[in-house]
Amino acid sequence: MAELTYRAAVARGIAQEMERDPNVVLLGEDVAAAGGVFKTTEGLLDRFGPKRVRDTPISEQAIIGAAMGAAMTGLRPVAELMFSDFFGVAWDMVANQIAKTRYMTDGQVALPLVIHTANGGGLRFGAQHSQAIENWAMAIPGLKVVAPSTPHDMVGLMAAAIRDPDPVIVCEAKSLLADKADVADGEIVEPLGKARVAREGTDATVVALASMVPRAVAAAERLAADGGPSLEVIDLRSLVPLDVDAVLRSVEKTTRLFTVEENPRLCGWGAEIVSIVAEEAIYALDGPVVRIATPHVPLAANPVLEDAQMPSAERIAATIRRTLETTD
Amino acid sequence: MAELTYRAAVARGIAQEMERDPNVVLLGEDVAAAGGVFKTTEGLLDRFGPKRVRDTPISEQAIIGAAMGAAMTGLRPVAELMFSDFFGVAWDMVANQIAKTRYMTDGQVALPLVIHTANGGGLRFGAQHSQAIENWAMAIPGLKVVAPSTPHDMVGLMAAAIRDPDPVIVCEAKSLLADKADVADGEIVEPLGKARVAREGTDATVVALASMVPRAVAAAERLAADGGPSLEVIDLRSLVPLDVDAVLRSVEKTTRLFTVEENPRLCGWGAEIVSIVAEEAIYALDGPVVRIATPHVPLAANPVLEDAQMPSAERIAATIRRTLETTD
Amino acid sequence: MTTIPVVPPPAPDGAATLDREVGLRLYRTMLECRMFEQRTHELFLAGLVRGTTHLGLGQEAVAAGFAGAMRTDDWTFCTYRGHNHTLARGVPMTPVLLELVGKQGALMGGKGGSMHLTSVEHGAMGSYAIVGAHLPIAVGAAWSAQYRGTEQVAVCFFGDGTTNIGAFHEALNMAAVWKAPVVFVCENNQYMEYTPIRSVTAVERPAADRASAYGLEPLVVDGNDVEAVYEMANLVIDRARRGDGPSLVEALTYRQGGHSRADPGKYRPDEEVAAWLARDPIPTYRQRLLDAGMVGAELEAIETEVKALVAEAERVAREAPDPEPETATTQLWADGGSAWRS
Amino acid sequence: MTTIPVVPPPAPDGAATLDREVGLRLYRTMLECRMFEQRTHELFLAGLVRGTTHLGLGQEAVAAGFAGAMRTDDWTFCTYRGHNHTLARGVPMTPVLLELVGKQGALMGGKGGSMHLTSVEHGAMGSYAIVGAHLPIAVGAAWSAQYRGTEQVAVCFFGDGTTNIGAFHEALNMAAVWKAPVVFVCENNQYMEYTPIRSVTAVERPAADRASAYGLEPLVVDGNDVEAVYEMANLVIDRARRGDGPSLVEALTYRQGGHSRADPGKYRPDEEVAAWLARDPIPTYRQRLLDAGMVGAELEAIETEVKALVAEAERVAREAPDPEPETATTQLWADGGSAWRS
Ligand SMILES: Cc1ncc(C[n+]2csc(CCOP(=O)(O)OP(=O)(O)O)c2C)c(N)n1
Ligand SMILES: Cc1ncc(C[n+]2csc(CCOP(=O)(O)OP(=O)(O)O)c2C)c(N)n1
Ligand SMILES: [Mg+2]
Ligand SMILES: [Mg+2]
């Protein structure tokens, strides 16, 4: 048992798998000598050497394309995409090549690779370095997508992603990088596609992901503290595969559903959750389903503006309380 | 009044605006001399000359980036992206630059530009040339998105897109290119953000877009023919801005909702529609909401397989009938 | 180093100079490509081939020359114009044709189609249909060979138009920096889809004139002379295998037909087409083999054999049933399925 | 054509040679950049500047030399390291500093921040934070000038690391093919973020050694010699204005600090840092102005004026209120709002 930051958990998860499998390699911009611009790969160069930990030019198409070519010929590459916004310059490799090649070749080509990337806002980086793009990846058949919310899950889901025989996008929430928690020693592997009940409750189900999980839990505590409704917070952890049962189970119990999304509203993952519940459990719902998301605008650099955009514990609590009061 | 193909309607809409505004220019691969690989820009070079209609190298980032630079300095470029799948190689320009620059500069930079692109499946082109990506664009704040389903709308929405002061993505459904219909002579401009009731009905609302509109209408006719439920088909025409009222109005009337989407299921535009209704009109719903979409896999090249993937009139009719029978 | 002819070079003449076994093998490979594609085109016109096709008629010498110099465990990465490269690696005609006609037994179960032919067991690592994408992917394969010390080489084929897209630049630079065992082969067939490459490229030789930007030497070869290609291939593949890094080769050739099944290629000047047809790599090489003392009967025997292979593939293709619709949702994941919920 | 020194060239010496008005203007511009950024950094340490910053300390001669040669209606496209280029076009310090400290009255209302400084009215057409993106955008602006016959020129600044990304290649080729009036200026400050450019680039001169791939001549200039930069700028900007097409200039310079606010830049050898600090463009040029007969008092007057400008900007910045949260959802669309439903 040792205290670990979410940031250090990234390196620990990768290191655990590099120890285990000599075919696991890491590549990306400034990942080796500098230990990553977010220090999420610190120490890996010293530990595993320049052959396995490689600095690259600023060439995202080549970084991710090389990871694909390496994966289809026997390696298990972990490619770092410094900021998830940069998927924009390599999206063809991700959405059209990596996601589709196993299918197009009827299973001939295996692509055991991971793309790990710093995702989301809260650090005042502005519109081009703050996007939460988990829904971009979820929309592409052939990609698995995880977004851990704790240091423990970061280690365990990174490990599972590296061991998985299919391509996995690992979204690291920038706003959680400095978070600390005690993490057990020894090997940690968490299954992909298993949600976690972050907080039990009875009056409403709140489905959250990554950076929004602590905020949803804080909102729940706040409401509980002043005798408000009892919220059950579900940490999805993984968008693909998606733990639909965990959501349905909770909604059957609470009869109300809210989603808390960092992504801008339109076509966010929360919409998918709502549409699944509306098809499979609509009779369980006792009132309107409300999505609490970043408004459909880019994120501003200014702290006052950015804080007004991303869902906060206050806004989550207020929205849920208002909704339940006016519709119960 | 003359009969026009959907394909020719693209060129007509562009030509109408090029006649009207000398700052409207067209660029893309094979758009000039060849008239476009889908022949959607045929005749424009002869009519407007090489200065306004330009063939480019295979450089999508440069094509779309150049359109942006031209738009911010006074032109109204129409950039052709040959296949919408190729957004993958230029997504940064679209999602990070074009969509965000007006906002980031607090309105200093105007970006009156259009990206028109051949979108969707049905032509046996396989996974990398068949995607319906309207939901990729809808997910990005700062992009307007239209997807016409008829030759008339193609002319009118293309014109409106070119006149619009903001960036608009015009999705041209490949499977509709050969469709013919009578189109009025003279100038045609349709407003962005106005849905159309493609067929009136009383028992269920079916929200469709582009290639799925004729299929949804055919399904409705089929059900009507054998005394099945009466379907109201809404052709959204535009995803951003979205005509929410048209959907709510219809659902209030029919009490049931279905979406028919060409995109693979997860995070499709239909999910957004469902989540809006679940928030704003859940009490109007009398039963489960079902999304009829392409399964969450890439499209296959083989005709038998592709036909099994894309929603067909048969599947739409069967799914709706089964759902209404088992839940009414 | 050869330099680019403004007009096509004269048809290669003089007797063949290679070892006779090699010469016959190269001839046979070109013939397999040619006869397969010619029949494919007829079957498209007859409505049997359903999807799109991009034929490499006229470019067979590039595929044959390079494949002939590759080790069986080397890797080929090619484009949607990939029939030649796939067959040249020894992939049997029947599953390939089944893929094109869309029947059961197809190389990729009908999921990929003509633009994505792949046979991992033959080192045919895929046909990529989005311009430029496979260059970085080939670099990754080469990196993996380097990492594992297997001395395998990745050979990556692409067209002249591909030299103007970003992925080309990123791949060449990274390959050079990493000294990756990869050979980039630009088949300069003079056209993108319908647009002449000269009209959209800042240099005369789309690949060769870019080599120095990556610290590489400019290499140009007559892509219609199978022996010249074969010799160039041995040179650059050995270099890569030795650990001396990547090469970029520009092979001058010509697409005898249109860009894809639907295109008659009318935008090309008649004299240009005629000049290049006069240097068709197959009849010219046949003549050179004869000049080198091969007996016509030997060549005819090969021609009969290849014709029989094509006929057999067609027979199977005509009889094969359509695929099962249920297979449309298999093989997205390693578990064979496509479930998105756990 | 200058060629790249393996070790930094000696500090420019000899008297200044330019017309005195021009010389003083260049000196003043460099000083405005320097004093503004130095104070910005102090204010960051003091917690007043909240977002990230990427300083151009040491690179002022490139910004001043080019801006000094531009017409007021020419366009500047730069990167997140854009303070110098923005100020050099005449954008007042106060709204820029307000953008950095995140208060009302900011240049972009706080929406953009340090990485996206833009002032269309001054021809500062944006600071772009995703490497490579603004090169094609600058080509588009140049195309629009060409189309409308305005003889405007687009000048596009980027770093050495940017020469390895795809957009660089696509933009250079298209600009050359279209003979677009655009000047590409690579500020080779020797590093990407923390990685030395040499370690990830296949050629020694990341920009100059790529010029021939686009039919352009290799141009290298000492980026710490403001007069050399100014002369080069006039040469290539006039060429573009005349209709003779694009140029690619590599300016050798050095980032005196780390990559961004958080980076102490420890990965750089002390001797390297020392050698480049010894050729700081500002004190060296000050000396050359004195050698050319300028009176120290004149220069001190400028220095006092500039210091006052910075102080005034700071005063306003300290007093200004935070922005209204409601403005977070304005200006997505031309109608001033951000509605997604009609
Ligand atoms: C990124 C991208 N842009 C455009 C296309 C459409 N396209 C397919 S083939 C082709 C021409 C390619 O020319 P070249 O590289 O010379 O190869 P060739 O077809 O001549 O073999 C184009 C533009 C594509 N597939 N991918
Ligand atoms: C496409 C992309 N990849 C990576 C980054 C992260 N990044 C920001 S600045 C930078 C280094 C750029 O180096 P250079 O072009 O030399 O410019 P400099 O910072 O030295 O001025 C990197 C890698 C980015 N912003 N965009
Ligand atoms: Mg070609
Ligand atoms: Mg640099």
Side-chain angles (χ1 to χ4, degrees):
Chain A
M1 200 65 124
E3 197 178 57
L4 198 69
T5 58
Y6 184 95
R7 180 194 315 280
V10 175
R12 176 168 158 188
I14 296 171
Q16 174 184 303
E17 296 308 299
M18 288 185 83
E19 285 291 357
R20 181 168 171 274
D21 180 349
N23 285 328
V24 176
V25 291
L26 174 69
L27 76 163
E29 293 156 16
D30 302 303
V31 297
V37 307
F38 291 105
K39 299 282 176 261
T40 48
T41 59
E42 194 134 69
L44 297 177
L45 174 65
D46 297 345
R47 213 160 135 192
F48 300 102
K51 193 180 166 202
R52 295 181 68 185
V53 181
R54 295 207 159 198
D55 281 325
T56 68
I58 306 173
S59 308
E60 280 76 10
Q61 295 187 75
I63 292 166
I64 297 185
M68 176 174 172
M72 66 200 284
T73 53
L75 299 188
R76 286 187 170 263
V78 177
E80 172 169 310
L81 186 71
M82 195 187 287
F83 284 76
S84 62
D85 311 72
F86 307 161
F87 271 123
V89 293
W91 196 234
D92 176 63
M93 286 298 173
V94 178
N96 293 335
Q97 310 303 331
I98 288 172
K100 295 175 170 52
T101 295
R102 164 178 284 275
Y103 178 83
M104 291 194 299
T105 61
D106 203 26
Q108 287 185 59
V109 172
L111 290 170
L113 66 86
V114 167
I115 301 172
H116 86 99
T117 187
N119 187 55
L123 269 56
R124 322 324 190 179
F125 280 136
Q128 293 185 338
H129 287 70
S130 304
Q131 294 172 91
I133 57 69
E134 51 269 26
N135 58 321
W136 297 13
M138 187 183 192
I140 306 298
L143 300 178
K144 294 178 179 177
V145 187
V146 300
S149 70
T150 67
H152 169 91
D153 282 357
M154 188 69 245
V155 177
L157 291 171
M158 177 65 80
I162 293 171
R163 291 185 194 189
D164 196 82
D166 295 310
V168 184
I169 310 296
V170 178
C171 298
E172 296 152 8
K174 280 189 221 88
S175 61
L176 300 180
L177 286 169
D179 284 16
K180 283 199 185 67
D182 284 335
V183 177
D185 304 329
E187 178 175 283
I188 299 178
V189 184
E190 286 289 329
L192 301 182
K194 207 115 198 44
R196 177 177 68 91
V197 177
R199 182 184 190 281
E200 299 216 341
T202 55
D203 299 332
T205 298
V206 181
V207 182
L209 185 77
S211 64
M212 294 296 107
V213 172
R215 297 182 185 206
V217 170
E221 299 304 345
R222 181 171 315 220
L223 288 178
D226 32 285
S230 154
L231 307 185
E232 178 147 295
V233 178
I234 306 240
D235 177 356
L236 280 179
R237 308 206 296 175
S238 164
L239 290 176
V240 182
L242 184 67
D243 191 348
V244 172
D245 296 347
V247 174
L248 295 178
R249 225 180 296 117
S250 180
V251 172
E252 300 281 356
K253 179 174 84 175
T254 65
T255 76
R256 295 303 295 267
L257 173 64
F258 297 85
T259 65
V260 185
E261 303 160 64
E262 184 175 339
N263 52 236
R265 160 146 195 162
L266 298 186
C267 295
W269 58 262
E272 187 59 46
I273 299 286
V274 175
S275 75
I276 292 166
V277 172
E279 172 163 354
E280 303 183 22
I282 192 161
Y283 298 118
L285 287 171
D286 259 352
V289 177
V290 175
R291 292 173 55 206
I292 301 162
T294 295
H296 206 62
V297 293
L299 280 184
N302 182 285
V304 174
L305 302 187
E306 189 181 34
D307 289 341
Q309 294 173 304
M310 290 171 67
S312 62
E314 295 74 358
R315 190 171 126 213
I316 297 166
T319 306
I320 293 175
R321 159 162 272 167
R322 186 177 350 98
T323 306
L324 293 179
E325 282 168 359
T326 54
T327 58
D328 245 18
Chain B
M1 200 63 129
E3 197 178 57
L4 196 70
T5 59
Y6 184 94
R7 179 192 316 278
V10 175
R12 176 170 158 185
I14 296 171
Q16 174 183 303
E17 297 309 300
M18 289 185 83
E19 285 291 357
R20 182 169 170 274
D21 180 349
N23 285 327
V24 176
V25 292
L26 174 69
L27 77 164
E29 294 155 17
D30 303 303
V31 297
V37 307
F38 291 106
K39 299 281 175 264
T40 48
T41 58
E42 193 134 70
L44 297 177
L45 173 64
D46 297 345
R47 216 161 132 189
F48 301 102
K51 192 180 167 204
R52 295 181 69 186
V53 182
R54 293 206 161 199
D55 281 325
T56 67
I58 306 173
S59 308
E60 280 75 8
Q61 294 187 76
I63 292 166
I64 297 185
M68 176 174 172
M72 65 200 284
T73 53
L75 298 188
R76 289 188 168 260
V78 177
E80 171 169 312
L81 186 71
M82 194 186 289
F83 284 77
S84 63
D85 311 72
F86 306 161
F87 271 124
V89 294
W91 197 234
D92 176 62
M93 287 297 172
V94 179
N96 294 335
Q97 310 303 331
I98 288 172
K100 294 176 171 54
T101 295
R102 164 177 283 276
Y103 179 82
M104 291 193 300
T105 61
D106 203 24
Q108 287 186 60
V109 172
L111 290 171
L113 66 87
V114 167
I115 301 172
H116 86 101
T117 186
N119 187 55
L123 269 56
R124 316 340 187 170
F125 280 135
Q128 294 185 338
H129 288 71
S130 304
Q131 294 172 90
I133 56 69
E134 51 268 24
N135 58 320
W136 297 13
M138 186 182 191
I140 307 298
L143 299 178
K144 295 179 179 176
V145 187
V146 300
S149 70
T150 68
H152 168 92
D153 283 357
M154 188 69 245
V155 177
L157 290 171
M158 176 65 80
I162 294 171
R163 290 184 193 189
D164 196 82
D166 295 310
V168 185
I169 309 296
V170 178
C171 298
E172 296 152 7
K174 282 190 220 86
S175 61
L176 300 180
L177 286 170
D179 284 15
K180 284 199 185 66
D182 283 334
V183 177
D185 304 329
E187 178 176 282
I188 299 178
V189 184
E190 286 289 328
L192 301 182
K194 204 111 203 46
R196 176 178 68 92
V197 177
R199 182 185 190 281
E200 299 217 340
T202 55
D203 299 333
T205 298
V206 181
V207 181
L209 185 76
S211 64
M212 294 295 107
V213 173
R215 296 182 188 207
V217 170
E221 300 304 344
R222 181 171 317 219
L223 288 177
D226 34 282
S230 153
L231 307 185
E232 178 147 295
V233 179
I234 306 240
D235 177 356
L236 281 179
R237 308 206 296 177
S238 164
L239 290 176
V240 182
L242 184 67
D243 191 349
V244 171
D245 296 346
V247 174
L248 295 178
R249 224 179 298 117
S250 180
V251 172
E252 300 283 355
K253 177 174 85 174
T254 65
T255 77
R256 295 302 295 269
L257 173 63
F258 297 85
T259 65
V260 185
E261 302 159 65
E262 184 175 339
N263 52 235
R265 160 143 196 165
L266 298 186
C267 296
W269 58 262
E272 187 59 47
I273 298 286
V274 175
S275 75
I276 292 166
V277 172
E279 174 165 352
E280 302 182 23
I282 191 160
Y283 298 117
L285 288 171
D286 258 352
V289 177
V290 176
R291 291 175 54 207
I292 301 161
T294 295
H296 206 62
V297 292
L299 280 183
N302 182 284
V304 175
L305 303 186
E306 190 181 34
D307 289 341
Q309 294 174 303
M310 292 171 66
S312 61
E314 295 74 358
R315 191 171 126 214
I316 297 165
T319 306
I320 293 174
R321 158 162 272 168
R322 186 175 352 95
T323 307
L324 293 179
E325 281 168 359
T326 55
T327 57
D328 246 16
Chain C
M1 180 195 106
T2 349
T3 59
I4 265 202
V6 178
V7 294
D13 51 12
T17 58
L18 291 171
D19 164 280
R20 62 175 273 114
E21 291 317 313
V22 177
L24 287 175
R25 186 154 50 81
L26 297 180
Y27 179 66
R28 186 197 174 95
T29 304
M30 290 198 289
L31 212 58
E32 286 174 355
C33 299
R34 174 67 55 96
M35 288 181 164
F36 178 88
E37 282 207 322
Q38 274 171 335
R39 191 62 192 145
T40 296
H41 189 59
E42 290 158 10
L43 295 175
F44 158 67
L45 298 175
L48 192 67
V49 168
R50 292 185 275 188
T52 183
T53 54
H54 300 75
L55 304 181
L57 294 168
Q59 305 181 205
E60 298 87 352
V62 180
F66 270 92
M70 290 170 74
R71 217 165 72 176
T72 55
D73 63 346
D74 288 338
W75 296 303
T76 295
F77 292 83
C78 63
T79 73
Y80 49 86
R81 196 177 307 286
H83 302 163
N84 293 347
H85 295 296
T86 304
L87 295 172
R89 292 308 307 278
V91 181
M93 288 181 188
T94 301
V96 173
L97 188 59
L98 285 164
E99 188 69 34
L100 304 191
V101 300
K103 300 294 194 71
Q104 282 188 37
L107 188 62
M108 296 125 81
K111 293 189 164 91
S114 161
M115 293 204 287
H116 298 291
L117 298 178
T118 303
S119 180
V120 170
E121 78 171 285
H122 297 90
M125 302 305 283
S127 307
Y128 297 79
I130 295 188
V131 162
H134 61 307
L135 281 74
I137 296 167
V139 174
W143 169 40
S144 133
Q146 186 185 50
Y147 180 86
R148 292 180 288 110
T150 60
E151 296 188 341
Q152 287 163 286
V153 174
V155 182
C156 180
F157 301 90
F158 53 90
D160 44 280
T162 304
T163 62
N164 291 327
I165 199 160
F168 167 88
H169 182 64
E170 295 190 13
L172 267 289
N173 182 66
M174 189 182 276
V177 171
W178 288 6
K179 276 181 149 267
V182 55
V183 174
F184 297 100
V185 183
C186 175
E187 297 183 68
N188 182 353
N189 63 6
Q190 324 298 329
Y191 289 85
M192 291 164 42
E193 288 203 16
Y194 312 139
T195 303
I197 189 63
R198 276 208 174 70
S199 67
V200 294
T201 309
V203 289
E204 194 200 349
R205 304 178 306 176
D209 291 342
R210 267 77 180 257
S212 67
Y214 313 104
L216 303 175
E217 69 185 303
L219 298 172
V220 179
V221 65
D222 178 352
N224 282 23
D225 177 345
V226 71
E227 294 203 341
V229 172
Y230 178 75
E231 274 154 15
M232 174 69 79
N234 276 300
L235 185 86
V236 292
I237 290 171
D238 292 350
R239 175 193 286 174
R241 212 183 299 289
R242 275 201 314 274
D244 292 342
S247 301
L248 172 60
V249 176
E250 178 166 330
L252 295 176
T253 182
Y254 199 70
R255 194 186 68 197
Q256 290 182 350
H259 167 70
S260 65
R261 67 171 186 196
D263 169 29
K266 289 267 165 285
Y267 42 85
R268 302 170 310 166
D270 295 345
E271 331 67 72
E272 178 185 284
V273 176
W276 280 98
L277 284 177
R279 33 198 327 274
D280 185 319
I282 295 174
T284 52
Y285 193 55
R286 188 179 203 280
Q287 187 54 53
R288 292 174 66 192
L289 287 171
L290 293 172
D291 297 345
M294 310 260 183
V295 187
E298 289 179 289
L299 303 180
E300 280 144 26
I302 293 176
E303 289 147 13
T304 319
E305 267 175 62
V306 174
K307 196 176 268 104
L309 286 175
V310 177
E312 170 60 9
E314 177 177 346
R315 188 188 59 72
V316 176
R318 287 185 178 279
E319 291 168 7
D322 279 341
E324 296 299 340
E326 303 67 48
T327 61
T329 52
T330 61
Q331 293 299 346
L332 181 66
W333 307 125
D335 67 10
S338 60
W340 52 264
R341 51 207 283 172
S342 49
Chain D
M1 180 195 106
T2 349
T3 60
I4 264 201
V6 178
V7 293
D13 51 11
T17 57
L18 290 172
D19 164 280
R20 63 176 271 115
E21 290 317 314
V22 177
L24 287 175
R25 187 155 49 83
L26 297 180
Y27 179 65
R28 187 198 174 92
T29 304
M30 289 198 290
L31 212 58
E32 287 174 354
C33 298
R34 174 67 55 96
M35 288 181 164
F36 178 88
E37 282 207 321
Q38 272 171 336
R39 191 60 192 149
T40 296
H41 189 58
E42 290 158 11
L43 294 176
F44 159 66
L45 298 174
L48 192 68
V49 167
R50 293 186 275 190
T52 184
T53 54
H54 300 76
L55 304 181
L57 294 169
Q59 305 182 204
E60 298 87 351
V62 179
F66 270 91
M70 291 169 75
R71 219 166 70 175
T72 56
D73 62 346
D74 288 337
W75 296 303
T76 294
F77 291 84
C78 64
T79 74
Y80 48 87
R81 198 178 304 287
H83 302 163
N84 293 348
H85 295 295
T86 304
L87 295 172
R89 292 308 307 278
V91 181
M93 287 182 188
T94 301
V96 173
L97 188 59
L98 284 164
E99 188 70 35
L100 304 190
V101 300
K103 302 293 194 70
Q104 283 187 34
L107 188 62
M108 294 124 82
K111 292 190 165 94
S114 163
M115 294 204 286
H116 297 292
L117 298 178
T118 303
S119 181
V120 170
E121 79 173 282
H122 297 91
M125 301 305 283
S127 307
Y128 297 78
I130 295 187
V131 163
H134 62 307
L135 281 74
I137 296 166
V139 174
W143 169 39
S144 134
Q146 186 184 51
Y147 180 85
R148 292 179 290 111
T150 60
E151 295 188 343
Q152 288 164 285
V153 174
V155 182
C156 179
F157 301 90
F158 53 90
D160 43 281
T162 303
T163 62
N164 291 327
I165 200 160
F168 167 88
H169 182 65
E170 295 189 13
L172 267 289
N173 182 67
M174 191 183 275
V177 170
W178 288 5
K179 275 180 149 270
V182 54
V183 174
F184 297 100
V185 183
C186 175
E187 296 183 69
N188 182 354
N189 63 6
Q190 324 297 328
Y191 289 85
M192 293 165 38
E193 288 204 15
Y194 312 141
T195 303
I197 189 64
R198 276 208 175 68
S199 67
V200 294
T201 309
V203 290
E204 194 202 349
R205 304 180 305 178
D209 290 342
R210 266 75 181 261
S212 67
Y214 313 104
L216 304 174
E217 70 185 302
L219 298 172
V220 179
V221 65
D222 178 352
N224 283 24
D225 178 343
V226 71
E227 295 202 341
V229 172
Y230 177 75
E231 274 154 16
M232 175 69 80
N234 277 301
L235 186 86
V236 292
I237 290 171
D238 291 350
R239 176 193 287 174
R241 210 182 302 287
R242 275 201 314 274
D244 292 342
S247 302
L248 172 60
V249 176
E250 179 166 330
L252 294 175
T253 183
Y254 198 69
R255 195 185 67 199
Q256 291 182 350
H259 167 70
S260 65
R261 66 171 188 195
D263 169 29
K266 289 265 164 287
Y267 42 85
R268 302 170 311 165
D270 296 344
E271 330 65 73
E272 178 185 284
V273 176
W276 280 98
L277 284 178
R279 32 198 327 274
D280 186 317
I282 295 174
T284 52
Y285 193 56
R286 188 179 201 282
Q287 187 54 54
R288 293 174 66 192
L289 287 171
L290 293 173
D291 297 346
M294 309 263 183
V295 187
E298 288 178 289
L299 303 180
E300 281 145 26
I302 293 176
E303 288 148 12
T304 319
E305 268 176 61
V306 174
K307 198 177 267 102
L309 286 176
V310 176
E312 169 59 10
E314 177 177 347
R315 189 189 59 73
V316 177
R318 288 185 178 277
E319 291 167 5
D322 279 342
E324 296 299 340
E326 303 67 47
T327 60
T329 51
T330 61
Q331 292 299 348
L332 181 67
W333 306 126
D335 67 10
S338 60
W340 51 265
R341 51 206 284 171
S342 49

